[in-house]
Amino acid sequence: MTTNPRVGLGYDIHRLVEGRPLILGGVKIDHPKGPFAHSDGDVVLHAIIDALLGAAALGDIGELFPDTDPAHKDADSAILLKQVVSRVRDAGFKPTNVDVNIHAEKPKLSPHKPAIRDSVAKLLDLDPGCVNIKAKTNETLGPIGNEQAIACTTVVMLIAA
Ligand code: MG
């Protein structure tokens, strides 16, 4: 196995519907809409999971946690992430930093960034200084701009554990 650093890219998107809880990076955000999803629909953690799996060449979230499996109904994504971190460790890697872009027209996410950063850092066993949370609107364009969807893109770097 190589000891070179490994980079992974993750992306996730969910439809937003009335009356579902909005959870981002394991943090519950007060908002009238939340993701329509089989699990809790945490786009941040789902994107991080795919970035981790990508960097370790371990496949993708849909292969590990199929949305046809009743065991993952309303699943806490923090628990799924912990399982993935453990698989990544078994493969000989650990995350060293993560950069997150949340794409959402609403709510305004700046007040929530510190809590999301601390939560993600804790879940990945990282110093908060190794986690960056960015938020962007979609300039009112398309389904994200129309508040019909929320998405997240992330990049994760792995080093030898
Ligand atoms: Mg998802």
Side-chain angles (χ1 to χ4, degrees), residues 12-24 27-43 46 74 104 106-107 109 143 147-151:
D12 194 33
I13 185 166
H14 282 276
R15 279 196 290 134
L16 283 175
V17 293
E18 301 278 345
R20 284 271 302 180
L22 178 60
I23 301 169
L24 294 173
V27 176
K28 175 128 174 14
I29 312 269
D30 192 27
H31 192 56
K33 287 182 172 181
F36 181 79
H38 184 65
S39 69
D40 65 8
D42 188 328
V43 287
H46 293 182
D74 295 323
K106 281 184 186 167
L109 291 172
E147 301 173 54
Q148 293 174 314
I150 186 165

PDB file of all heavy atoms in Angstrom, residues 12-24 27-43 46 74 104 106-107 109 143 147-151:
ATOM      1  N   ASP A  12     -23.411  15.323  -2.570  1.00  0.00           N
ATOM      2  CA  ASP A  12     -24.738  14.786  -2.275  1.00  0.00           C
ATOM      3  C   ASP A  12     -25.776  15.882  -2.482  1.00  0.00           C
ATOM      4  O   ASP A  12     -25.474  17.070  -2.325  1.00  0.00           O
ATOM      5  CB  ASP A  12     -24.817  14.263  -0.834  1.00  0.00           C
ATOM      6  CG  ASP A  12     -26.055  13.409  -0.612  1.00  0.00           C
ATOM      7  OD1 ASP A  12     -26.488  12.724  -1.560  1.00  0.00           O
ATOM      8  OD2 ASP A  12     -26.603  13.435   0.507  1.00  0.00           O
ATOM      9  N   ILE A  13     -26.967  15.467  -2.844  1.00  0.00           N
ATOM     10  CA  ILE A  13     -28.083  16.408  -2.997  1.00  0.00           C
ATOM     11  C   ILE A  13     -29.360  15.726  -2.534  1.00  0.00           C
ATOM     12  O   ILE A  13     -29.509  14.509  -2.717  1.00  0.00           O
ATOM     13  CB  ILE A  13     -28.197  16.891  -4.473  1.00  0.00           C
ATOM     14  CG1 ILE A  13     -29.282  17.970  -4.630  1.00  0.00           C
ATOM     15  CG2 ILE A  13     -28.444  15.720  -5.437  1.00  0.00           C
ATOM     16  CD1 ILE A  13     -29.224  18.719  -5.960  1.00  0.00           C
ATOM     17  N   HIS A  14     -30.230  16.475  -1.865  1.00  0.00           N
ATOM     18  CA  HIS A  14     -31.545  15.960  -1.489  1.00  0.00           C
ATOM     19  C   HIS A  14     -32.607  17.008  -1.777  1.00  0.00           C
ATOM     20  O   HIS A  14     -32.347  18.203  -1.670  1.00  0.00           O
ATOM     21  CB  HIS A  14     -31.596  15.606   0.006  1.00  0.00           C
ATOM     22  CG  HIS A  14     -30.944  14.300   0.325  1.00  0.00           C
ATOM     23  ND1 HIS A  14     -31.594  13.099   0.205  1.00  0.00           N
ATOM     24  CD2 HIS A  14     -29.690  14.011   0.728  1.00  0.00           C
ATOM     25  CE1 HIS A  14     -30.761  12.121   0.540  1.00  0.00           C
ATOM     26  NE2 HIS A  14     -29.596  12.647   0.856  1.00  0.00           N
ATOM     27  N   ARG A  15     -33.807  16.500  -2.122  1.00  0.00           N
ATOM     28  CA  ARG A  15     -34.946  17.393  -2.248  1.00  0.00           C
ATOM     29  C   ARG A  15     -35.307  17.918  -0.880  1.00  0.00           C
ATOM     30  O   ARG A  15     -35.187  17.202   0.118  1.00  0.00           O
ATOM     31  CB  ARG A  15     -36.148  16.629  -2.820  1.00  0.00           C
ATOM     32  CG  ARG A  15     -36.075  16.498  -4.320  1.00  0.00           C
ATOM     33  CD  ARG A  15     -37.422  16.102  -4.888  1.00  0.00           C
ATOM     34  NE  ARG A  15     -37.784  14.742  -4.552  1.00  0.00           N
ATOM     35  CZ  ARG A  15     -38.994  14.382  -4.092  1.00  0.00           C
ATOM     36  NH1 ARG A  15     -39.922  15.277  -3.881  1.00  0.00           N
ATOM     37  NH2 ARG A  15     -39.252  13.121  -3.840  1.00  0.00           N
ATOM     38  N   LEU A  16     -35.749  19.175  -0.813  1.00  0.00           N
ATOM     39  CA  LEU A  16     -36.215  19.758   0.447  1.00  0.00           C
ATOM     40  C   LEU A  16     -37.731  19.744   0.485  1.00  0.00           C
ATOM     41  O   LEU A  16     -38.377  20.146  -0.489  1.00  0.00           O
ATOM     42  CB  LEU A  16     -35.722  21.210   0.568  1.00  0.00           C
ATOM     43  CG  LEU A  16     -34.260  21.410   0.943  1.00  0.00           C
ATOM     44  CD1 LEU A  16     -33.917  22.894   0.893  1.00  0.00           C
ATOM     45  CD2 LEU A  16     -33.950  20.846   2.323  1.00  0.00           C
ATOM     46  N   VAL A  17     -38.285  19.253   1.593  1.00  0.00           N
ATOM     47  CA  VAL A  17     -39.741  19.221   1.741  1.00  0.00           C
ATOM     48  C   VAL A  17     -40.121  19.799   3.107  1.00  0.00           C
ATOM     49  O   VAL A  17     -39.315  19.804   4.044  1.00  0.00           O
ATOM     50  CB  VAL A  17     -40.290  17.771   1.615  1.00  0.00           C
ATOM     51  CG1 VAL A  17     -40.105  17.240   0.207  1.00  0.00           C
ATOM     52  CG2 VAL A  17     -39.646  16.836   2.628  1.00  0.00           C
ATOM     53  N   GLU A  18     -41.349  20.271   3.191  1.00  0.00           N
ATOM     54  CA  GLU A  18     -41.851  20.831   4.456  1.00  0.00           C
ATOM     55  C   GLU A  18     -41.897  19.754   5.533  1.00  0.00           C
ATOM     56  O   GLU A  18     -42.235  18.600   5.245  1.00  0.00           O
ATOM     57  CB  GLU A  18     -43.289  21.360   4.267  1.00  0.00           C
ATOM     58  CG  GLU A  18     -43.439  22.445   3.218  1.00  0.00           C
ATOM     59  CD  GLU A  18     -43.085  23.826   3.755  1.00  0.00           C
ATOM     60  OE1 GLU A  18     -43.003  23.987   4.994  1.00  0.00           O
ATOM     61  OE2 GLU A  18     -42.870  24.732   2.923  1.00  0.00           O
ATOM     62  N   GLY A  19     -41.547  20.165   6.747  1.00  0.00           N
ATOM     63  CA  GLY A  19     -41.796  19.318   7.905  1.00  0.00           C
ATOM     64  C   GLY A  19     -40.773  18.224   8.175  1.00  0.00           C
ATOM     65  O   GLY A  19     -41.004  17.381   9.029  1.00  0.00           O
ATOM     66  N   ARG A  20     -39.660  18.231   7.447  1.00  0.00           N
ATOM     67  CA  ARG A  20     -38.607  17.256   7.758  1.00  0.00           C
ATOM     68  C   ARG A  20     -37.496  18.016   8.487  1.00  0.00           C
ATOM     69  O   ARG A  20     -37.199  19.172   8.168  1.00  0.00           O
ATOM     70  CB  ARG A  20     -38.032  16.646   6.467  1.00  0.00           C
ATOM     71  CG  ARG A  20     -38.918  15.611   5.822  1.00  0.00           C
ATOM     72  CD  ARG A  20     -38.670  14.202   6.338  1.00  0.00           C
ATOM     73  NE  ARG A  20     -37.300  13.737   6.162  1.00  0.00           N
ATOM     74  CZ  ARG A  20     -36.874  12.533   6.545  1.00  0.00           C
ATOM     75  NH1 ARG A  20     -37.714  11.682   7.099  1.00  0.00           N
ATOM     76  NH2 ARG A  20     -35.633  12.185   6.371  1.00  0.00           N
ATOM     77  N   PRO A  21     -36.835  17.368   9.466  1.00  0.00           N
ATOM     78  CA  PRO A  21     -35.745  18.066  10.167  1.00  0.00           C
ATOM     79  C   PRO A  21     -34.549  18.302   9.240  1.00  0.00           C
ATOM     80  O   PRO A  21     -34.227  17.443   8.418  1.00  0.00           O
ATOM     81  CB  PRO A  21     -35.378  17.101  11.307  1.00  0.00           C
ATOM     82  CG  PRO A  21     -35.946  15.783  10.935  1.00  0.00           C
ATOM     83  CD  PRO A  21     -37.082  16.022   9.976  1.00  0.00           C
ATOM     84  N   LEU A  22     -33.939  19.471   9.380  1.00  0.00           N
ATOM     85  CA  LEU A  22     -32.740  19.791   8.594  1.00  0.00           C
ATOM     86  C   LEU A  22     -31.511  19.538   9.468  1.00  0.00           C
ATOM     87  O   LEU A  22     -31.312  20.225  10.477  1.00  0.00           O
ATOM     88  CB  LEU A  22     -32.771  21.248   8.124  1.00  0.00           C
ATOM     89  CG  LEU A  22     -31.550  21.726   7.331  1.00  0.00           C
ATOM     90  CD1 LEU A  22     -31.369  20.914   6.059  1.00  0.00           C
ATOM     91  CD2 LEU A  22     -31.659  23.209   7.011  1.00  0.00           C
ATOM     92  N   ILE A  23     -30.730  18.542   9.090  1.00  0.00           N
ATOM     93  CA  ILE A  23     -29.526  18.198   9.852  1.00  0.00           C
ATOM     94  C   ILE A  23     -28.334  18.337   8.920  1.00  0.00           C
ATOM     95  O   ILE A  23     -28.309  17.737   7.832  1.00  0.00           O
ATOM     96  CB  ILE A  23     -29.618  16.772  10.420  1.00  0.00           C
ATOM     97  CG1 ILE A  23     -30.839  16.655  11.333  1.00  0.00           C
ATOM     98  CG2 ILE A  23     -28.355  16.400  11.189  1.00  0.00           C
ATOM     99  CD1 ILE A  23     -31.186  15.248  11.745  1.00  0.00           C
ATOM    100  N   LEU A  24     -27.370  19.142   9.331  1.00  0.00           N
ATOM    101  CA  LEU A  24     -26.185  19.375   8.498  1.00  0.00           C
ATOM    102  C   LEU A  24     -24.932  19.110   9.325  1.00  0.00           C
ATOM    103  O   LEU A  24     -24.708  19.774  10.347  1.00  0.00           O
ATOM    104  CB  LEU A  24     -26.175  20.818   7.973  1.00  0.00           C
ATOM    105  CG  LEU A  24     -27.301  21.176   6.986  1.00  0.00           C
ATOM    106  CD1 LEU A  24     -27.282  22.678   6.677  1.00  0.00           C
ATOM    107  CD2 LEU A  24     -27.175  20.368   5.706  1.00  0.00           C
ATOM    108  N   VAL A  27     -25.631  18.508  12.911  1.00  0.00           N
ATOM    109  CA  VAL A  27     -26.208  19.606  13.696  1.00  0.00           C
ATOM    110  C   VAL A  27     -27.624  19.887  13.207  1.00  0.00           C
ATOM    111  O   VAL A  27     -27.842  20.103  12.012  1.00  0.00           O
ATOM    112  CB  VAL A  27     -25.359  20.886  13.555  1.00  0.00           C
ATOM    113  CG1 VAL A  27     -26.006  22.055  14.290  1.00  0.00           C
ATOM    114  CG2 VAL A  27     -23.943  20.649  14.061  1.00  0.00           C
ATOM    115  N   LYS A  28     -28.576  19.889  14.143  1.00  0.00           N
ATOM    116  CA  LYS A  28     -29.966  20.175  13.778  1.00  0.00           C
ATOM    117  C   LYS A  28     -30.125  21.690  13.627  1.00  0.00           C
ATOM    118  O   LYS A  28     -29.786  22.460  14.523  1.00  0.00           O
ATOM    119  CB  LYS A  28     -30.901  19.635  14.871  1.00  0.00           C
ATOM    120  CG  LYS A  28     -32.338  19.975  14.645  1.00  0.00           C
ATOM    121  CD  LYS A  28     -33.220  18.743  14.710  1.00  0.00           C
ATOM    122  CE  LYS A  28     -34.708  19.037  14.624  1.00  0.00           C
ATOM    123  NZ  LYS A  28     -35.158  20.318  14.200  1.00  0.00           N
ATOM    124  N   ILE A  29     -30.641  22.093  12.463  1.00  0.00           N
ATOM    125  CA  ILE A  29     -30.813  23.514  12.142  1.00  0.00           C
ATOM    126  C   ILE A  29     -32.312  23.810  12.109  1.00  0.00           C
ATOM    127  O   ILE A  29     -33.072  23.066  11.489  1.00  0.00           O
ATOM    128  CB  ILE A  29     -30.228  23.830  10.742  1.00  0.00           C
ATOM    129  CG1 ILE A  29     -28.835  23.236  10.586  1.00  0.00           C
ATOM    130  CG2 ILE A  29     -30.325  25.306  10.415  1.00  0.00           C
ATOM    131  CD1 ILE A  29     -27.685  24.078  10.956  1.00  0.00           C
ATOM    132  N   ASP A  30     -32.705  24.887  12.770  1.00  0.00           N
ATOM    133  CA  ASP A  30     -34.121  25.249  12.799  1.00  0.00           C
ATOM    134  C   ASP A  30     -34.535  25.823  11.440  1.00  0.00           C
ATOM    135  O   ASP A  30     -34.047  26.886  11.031  1.00  0.00           O
ATOM    136  CB  ASP A  30     -34.336  26.282  13.924  1.00  0.00           C
ATOM    137  CG  ASP A  30     -35.812  26.484  14.197  1.00  0.00           C
ATOM    138  OD1 ASP A  30     -36.598  25.545  13.949  1.00  0.00           O
ATOM    139  OD2 ASP A  30     -36.180  27.591  14.633  1.00  0.00           O
ATOM    140  N   HIS A  31     -35.407  25.096  10.726  1.00  0.00           N
ATOM    141  CA  HIS A  31     -35.826  25.508   9.380  1.00  0.00           C
ATOM    142  C   HIS A  31     -37.118  24.761   9.044  1.00  0.00           C
ATOM    143  O   HIS A  31     -37.259  23.598   9.416  1.00  0.00           O
ATOM    144  CB  HIS A  31     -34.706  25.146   8.367  1.00  0.00           C
ATOM    145  CG  HIS A  31     -34.896  25.758   7.022  1.00  0.00           C
ATOM    146  ND1 HIS A  31     -35.035  27.116   6.832  1.00  0.00           N
ATOM    147  CD2 HIS A  31     -34.969  25.204   5.779  1.00  0.00           C
ATOM    148  CE1 HIS A  31     -35.172  27.366   5.527  1.00  0.00           C
ATOM    149  NE2 HIS A  31     -35.142  26.218   4.873  1.00  0.00           N
ATOM    150  N   PRO A  32     -38.055  25.424   8.335  1.00  0.00           N
ATOM    151  CA  PRO A  32     -39.325  24.735   8.053  1.00  0.00           C
ATOM    152  C   PRO A  32     -39.207  23.561   7.088  1.00  0.00           C
ATOM    153  O   PRO A  32     -40.108  22.734   7.009  1.00  0.00           O
ATOM    154  CB  PRO A  32     -40.204  25.842   7.449  1.00  0.00           C
ATOM    155  CG  PRO A  32     -39.301  26.970   7.115  1.00  0.00           C
ATOM    156  CD  PRO A  32     -38.072  26.831   7.962  1.00  0.00           C
ATOM    157  N   LYS A  33     -38.107  23.504   6.326  1.00  0.00           N
ATOM    158  CA  LYS A  33     -37.941  22.414   5.358  1.00  0.00           C
ATOM    159  C   LYS A  33     -36.737  21.554   5.717  1.00  0.00           C
ATOM    160  O   LYS A  33     -35.766  22.035   6.314  1.00  0.00           O
ATOM    161  CB  LYS A  33     -37.704  22.980   3.957  1.00  0.00           C
ATOM    162  CG  LYS A  33     -38.923  23.592   3.306  1.00  0.00           C
ATOM    163  CD  LYS A  33     -38.543  24.066   1.905  1.00  0.00           C
ATOM    164  CE  LYS A  33     -39.753  24.507   1.109  1.00  0.00           C
ATOM    165  NZ  LYS A  33     -39.361  24.935  -0.254  1.00  0.00           N
ATOM    166  N   GLY A  34     -36.809  20.290   5.300  1.00  0.00           N
ATOM    167  CA  GLY A  34     -35.674  19.394   5.479  1.00  0.00           C
ATOM    168  C   GLY A  34     -35.613  18.421   4.315  1.00  0.00           C
ATOM    169  O   GLY A  34     -36.507  18.399   3.464  1.00  0.00           O
ATOM    170  N   PRO A  35     -34.558  17.607   4.268  1.00  0.00           N
ATOM    171  CA  PRO A  35     -34.370  16.718   3.125  1.00  0.00           C
ATOM    172  C   PRO A  35     -35.346  15.549   3.101  1.00  0.00           C
ATOM    173  O   PRO A  35     -35.593  14.916   4.132  1.00  0.00           O
ATOM    174  CB  PRO A  35     -32.938  16.211   3.301  1.00  0.00           C
ATOM    175  CG  PRO A  35     -32.671  16.349   4.752  1.00  0.00           C
ATOM    176  CD  PRO A  35     -33.467  17.520   5.241  1.00  0.00           C
ATOM    177  N   PHE A  36     -35.877  15.278   1.915  1.00  0.00           N
ATOM    178  CA  PHE A  36     -36.635  14.059   1.680  1.00  0.00           C
ATOM    179  C   PHE A  36     -35.598  12.964   1.467  1.00  0.00           C
ATOM    180  O   PHE A  36     -34.803  13.038   0.534  1.00  0.00           O
ATOM    181  CB  PHE A  36     -37.523  14.220   0.448  1.00  0.00           C
ATOM    182  CG  PHE A  36     -38.347  13.019   0.148  1.00  0.00           C
ATOM    183  CD1 PHE A  36     -39.507  12.760   0.849  1.00  0.00           C
ATOM    184  CD2 PHE A  36     -37.953  12.116  -0.837  1.00  0.00           C
ATOM    185  CE1 PHE A  36     -40.279  11.644   0.580  1.00  0.00           C
ATOM    186  CE2 PHE A  36     -38.712  10.993  -1.112  1.00  0.00           C
ATOM    187  CZ  PHE A  36     -39.879  10.753  -0.410  1.00  0.00           C
ATOM    188  N   ALA A  37     -35.577  11.978   2.360  1.00  0.00           N
ATOM    189  CA  ALA A  37     -34.511  10.976   2.287  1.00  0.00           C
ATOM    190  C   ALA A  37     -34.905   9.725   3.035  1.00  0.00           C
ATOM    191  O   ALA A  37     -35.754   9.762   3.927  1.00  0.00           O
ATOM    192  CB  ALA A  37     -33.222  11.539   2.897  1.00  0.00           C
ATOM    193  N   HIS A  38     -34.271   8.623   2.653  1.00  0.00           N
ATOM    194  CA  HIS A  38     -34.469   7.349   3.345  1.00  0.00           C
ATOM    195  C   HIS A  38     -33.820   7.417   4.736  1.00  0.00           C
ATOM    196  O   HIS A  38     -34.384   6.983   5.729  1.00  0.00           O
ATOM    197  CB  HIS A  38     -33.841   6.234   2.509  1.00  0.00           C
ATOM    198  CG  HIS A  38     -34.065   4.859   3.059  1.00  0.00           C
ATOM    199  ND1 HIS A  38     -35.320   4.288   3.140  1.00  0.00           N
ATOM    200  CD2 HIS A  38     -33.216   3.943   3.564  1.00  0.00           C
ATOM    201  CE1 HIS A  38     -35.220   3.085   3.666  1.00  0.00           C
ATOM    202  NE2 HIS A  38     -33.952   2.846   3.933  1.00  0.00           N
ATOM    203  N   SER A  39     -32.617   8.006   4.777  1.00  0.00           N
ATOM    204  CA  SER A  39     -31.913   8.204   6.054  1.00  0.00           C
ATOM    205  C   SER A  39     -32.303   9.574   6.598  1.00  0.00           C
ATOM    206  O   SER A  39     -33.309  10.143   6.194  1.00  0.00           O
ATOM    207  CB  SER A  39     -30.404   8.143   5.821  1.00  0.00           C
ATOM    208  OG  SER A  39     -30.003   9.286   5.078  1.00  0.00           O
ATOM    209  N   ASP A  40     -31.485  10.158   7.482  1.00  0.00           N
ATOM    210  CA  ASP A  40     -31.775  11.509   7.969  1.00  0.00           C
ATOM    211  C   ASP A  40     -31.455  12.575   6.914  1.00  0.00           C
ATOM    212  O   ASP A  40     -31.730  13.748   7.116  1.00  0.00           O
ATOM    213  CB  ASP A  40     -31.039  11.786   9.292  1.00  0.00           C
ATOM    214  CG  ASP A  40     -29.518  11.796   9.145  1.00  0.00           C
ATOM    215  OD1 ASP A  40     -29.013  11.740   8.003  1.00  0.00           O
ATOM    216  OD2 ASP A  40     -28.832  11.849  10.186  1.00  0.00           O
ATOM    217  N   GLY A  41     -30.844  12.159   5.793  1.00  0.00           N
ATOM    218  CA  GLY A  41     -30.618  13.076   4.667  1.00  0.00           C
ATOM    219  C   GLY A  41     -29.584  14.160   4.920  1.00  0.00           C
ATOM    220  O   GLY A  41     -29.647  15.231   4.317  1.00  0.00           O
ATOM    221  N   ASP A  42     -28.630  13.879   5.804  1.00  0.00           N
ATOM    222  CA  ASP A  42     -27.580  14.860   6.119  1.00  0.00           C
ATOM    223  C   ASP A  42     -26.606  14.948   4.936  1.00  0.00           C
ATOM    224  O   ASP A  42     -25.682  14.136   4.809  1.00  0.00           O
ATOM    225  CB  ASP A  42     -26.868  14.420   7.407  1.00  0.00           C
ATOM    226  CG  ASP A  42     -25.890  15.449   7.946  1.00  0.00           C
ATOM    227  OD1 ASP A  42     -25.285  16.192   7.143  1.00  0.00           O
ATOM    228  OD2 ASP A  42     -25.725  15.504   9.181  1.00  0.00           O
ATOM    229  N   VAL A  43     -26.802  15.950   4.072  1.00  0.00           N
ATOM    230  CA  VAL A  43     -25.986  16.041   2.849  1.00  0.00           C
ATOM    231  C   VAL A  43     -24.499  16.231   3.148  1.00  0.00           C
ATOM    232  O   VAL A  43     -23.644  15.778   2.388  1.00  0.00           O
ATOM    233  CB  VAL A  43     -26.453  17.164   1.882  1.00  0.00           C
ATOM    234  CG1 VAL A  43     -27.749  16.805   1.191  1.00  0.00           C
ATOM    235  CG2 VAL A  43     -26.542  18.509   2.573  1.00  0.00           C
ATOM    236  N   HIS A  46     -23.141  12.818   4.225  1.00  0.00           N
ATOM    237  CA  HIS A  46     -23.154  11.907   3.072  1.00  0.00           C
ATOM    238  C   HIS A  46     -22.034  12.252   2.087  1.00  0.00           C
ATOM    239  O   HIS A  46     -21.367  11.355   1.556  1.00  0.00           O
ATOM    240  CB  HIS A  46     -24.510  11.951   2.354  1.00  0.00           C
ATOM    241  CG  HIS A  46     -25.630  11.389   3.178  1.00  0.00           C
ATOM    242  ND1 HIS A  46     -26.914  11.283   2.727  1.00  0.00           N
ATOM    243  CD2 HIS A  46     -25.627  10.898   4.448  1.00  0.00           C
ATOM    244  CE1 HIS A  46     -27.676  10.754   3.671  1.00  0.00           C
ATOM    245  NE2 HIS A  46     -26.921  10.516   4.724  1.00  0.00           N
ATOM    246  N   ASP A  74     -34.341   6.322   8.095  1.00  0.00           N
ATOM    247  CA  ASP A  74     -34.110   7.416   9.055  1.00  0.00           C
ATOM    248  C   ASP A  74     -32.781   7.255   9.813  1.00  0.00           C
ATOM    249  O   ASP A  74     -32.638   7.723  10.948  1.00  0.00           O
ATOM    250  CB  ASP A  74     -35.272   7.537  10.051  1.00  0.00           C
ATOM    251  CG  ASP A  74     -36.561   7.952   9.360  1.00  0.00           C
ATOM    252  OD1 ASP A  74     -36.494   8.770   8.427  1.00  0.00           O
ATOM    253  OD2 ASP A  74     -37.635   7.449   9.739  1.00  0.00           O
ATOM    254  N   ALA A 104     -27.007  25.971  -0.543  1.00  0.00           N
ATOM    255  CA  ALA A 104     -28.386  26.136  -0.067  1.00  0.00           C
ATOM    256  C   ALA A 104     -28.783  27.601  -0.198  1.00  0.00           C
ATOM    257  O   ALA A 104     -27.998  28.492   0.158  1.00  0.00           O
ATOM    258  CB  ALA A 104     -28.506  25.696   1.393  1.00  0.00           C
ATOM    259  N   LYS A 106     -31.506  28.856   1.375  1.00  0.00           N
ATOM    260  CA  LYS A 106     -31.905  29.154   2.752  1.00  0.00           C
ATOM    261  C   LYS A 106     -31.791  27.869   3.559  1.00  0.00           C
ATOM    262  O   LYS A 106     -31.925  26.788   2.979  1.00  0.00           O
ATOM    263  CB  LYS A 106     -33.361  29.639   2.799  1.00  0.00           C
ATOM    264  CG  LYS A 106     -33.522  31.083   2.403  1.00  0.00           C
ATOM    265  CD  LYS A 106     -34.975  31.489   2.575  1.00  0.00           C
ATOM    266  CE  LYS A 106     -35.207  32.900   2.042  1.00  0.00           C
ATOM    267  NZ  LYS A 106     -36.622  33.232   1.911  1.00  0.00           N
ATOM    268  N   PRO A 107     -31.626  27.927   4.861  1.00  0.00           N
ATOM    269  CA  PRO A 107     -31.459  29.126   5.678  1.00  0.00           C
ATOM    270  C   PRO A 107     -30.052  29.704   5.528  1.00  0.00           C
ATOM    271  O   PRO A 107     -29.182  29.063   4.937  1.00  0.00           O
ATOM    272  CB  PRO A 107     -31.655  28.594   7.099  1.00  0.00           C
ATOM    273  CG  PRO A 107     -31.157  27.184   7.034  1.00  0.00           C
ATOM    274  CD  PRO A 107     -31.509  26.698   5.654  1.00  0.00           C
ATOM    275  N   LEU A 109     -26.547  30.167   6.582  1.00  0.00           N
ATOM    276  CA  LEU A 109     -25.797  29.166   7.353  1.00  0.00           C
ATOM    277  C   LEU A 109     -24.620  29.730   8.150  1.00  0.00           C
ATOM    278  O   LEU A 109     -24.068  29.036   8.992  1.00  0.00           O
ATOM    279  CB  LEU A 109     -25.319  28.046   6.419  1.00  0.00           C
ATOM    280  CG  LEU A 109     -26.463  27.172   5.892  1.00  0.00           C
ATOM    281  CD1 LEU A 109     -25.966  26.204   4.824  1.00  0.00           C
ATOM    282  CD2 LEU A 109     -27.130  26.411   7.019  1.00  0.00           C
ATOM    283  N   PRO A 143     -32.955  24.308  -8.993  1.00  0.00           N
ATOM    284  CA  PRO A 143     -33.663  23.730  -7.837  1.00  0.00           C
ATOM    285  C   PRO A 143     -33.069  24.131  -6.497  1.00  0.00           C
ATOM    286  O   PRO A 143     -33.801  24.287  -5.518  1.00  0.00           O
ATOM    287  CB  PRO A 143     -33.548  22.216  -8.060  1.00  0.00           C
ATOM    288  CG  PRO A 143     -32.603  22.009  -9.175  1.00  0.00           C
ATOM    289  CD  PRO A 143     -32.479  23.291  -9.938  1.00  0.00           C
ATOM    290  N   GLU A 147     -35.004  26.722  -3.573  1.00  0.00           N
ATOM    291  CA  GLU A 147     -35.217  26.066  -2.270  1.00  0.00           C
ATOM    292  C   GLU A 147     -35.934  24.729  -2.396  1.00  0.00           C
ATOM    293  O   GLU A 147     -36.620  24.292  -1.481  1.00  0.00           O
ATOM    294  CB  GLU A 147     -35.993  26.980  -1.310  1.00  0.00           C
ATOM    295  CG  GLU A 147     -35.287  28.292  -1.042  1.00  0.00           C
ATOM    296  CD  GLU A 147     -36.160  29.231  -0.231  1.00  0.00           C
ATOM    297  OE1 GLU A 147     -36.617  28.812   0.849  1.00  0.00           O
ATOM    298  OE2 GLU A 147     -36.387  30.368  -0.691  1.00  0.00           O
ATOM    299  N   GLN A 148     -35.752  24.077  -3.532  1.00  0.00           N
ATOM    300  CA  GLN A 148     -36.322  22.738  -3.720  1.00  0.00           C
ATOM    301  C   GLN A 148     -35.305  21.666  -3.364  1.00  0.00           C
ATOM    302  O   GLN A 148     -35.639  20.485  -3.303  1.00  0.00           O
ATOM    303  CB  GLN A 148     -36.754  22.546  -5.173  1.00  0.00           C
ATOM    304  CG  GLN A 148     -37.922  23.412  -5.593  1.00  0.00           C
ATOM    305  CD  GLN A 148     -38.212  23.287  -7.076  1.00  0.00           C
ATOM    306  OE1 GLN A 148     -37.298  23.339  -7.897  1.00  0.00           O
ATOM    307  NE2 GLN A 148     -39.467  23.109  -7.415  1.00  0.00           N
ATOM    308  N   ALA A 149     -34.046  22.070  -3.194  1.00  0.00           N
ATOM    309  CA  ALA A 149     -32.995  21.091  -2.934  1.00  0.00           C
ATOM    310  C   ALA A 149     -31.869  21.728  -2.137  1.00  0.00           C
ATOM    311  O   ALA A 149     -31.700  22.955  -2.123  1.00  0.00           O
ATOM    312  CB  ALA A 149     -32.449  20.534  -4.248  1.00  0.00           C
ATOM    313  N   ILE A 150     -31.113  20.860  -1.472  1.00  0.00           N
ATOM    314  CA  ILE A 150     -29.895  21.276  -0.771  1.00  0.00           C
ATOM    315  C   ILE A 150     -28.803  20.289  -1.174  1.00  0.00           C
ATOM    316  O   ILE A 150     -29.067  19.101  -1.353  1.00  0.00           O
ATOM    317  CB  ILE A 150     -30.116  21.317   0.758  1.00  0.00           C
ATOM    318  CG1 ILE A 150     -28.880  21.891   1.462  1.00  0.00           C
ATOM    319  CG2 ILE A 150     -30.476  19.945   1.320  1.00  0.00           C
ATOM    320  CD1 ILE A 150     -29.153  22.289   2.915  1.00  0.00           C
ATOM    321  N   ALA A 151     -27.587  20.794  -1.351  1.00  0.00           N
ATOM    322  CA  ALA A 151     -26.500  19.931  -1.816  1.00  0.00           C
ATOM    323  C   ALA A 151     -25.220  20.234  -1.050  1.00  0.00           C
ATOM    324  O   ALA A 151     -25.130  21.244  -0.330  1.00  0.00           O
ATOM    325  CB  ALA A 151     -26.275  20.124  -3.322  1.00  0.00           C
TER     326      ALA A 151
END
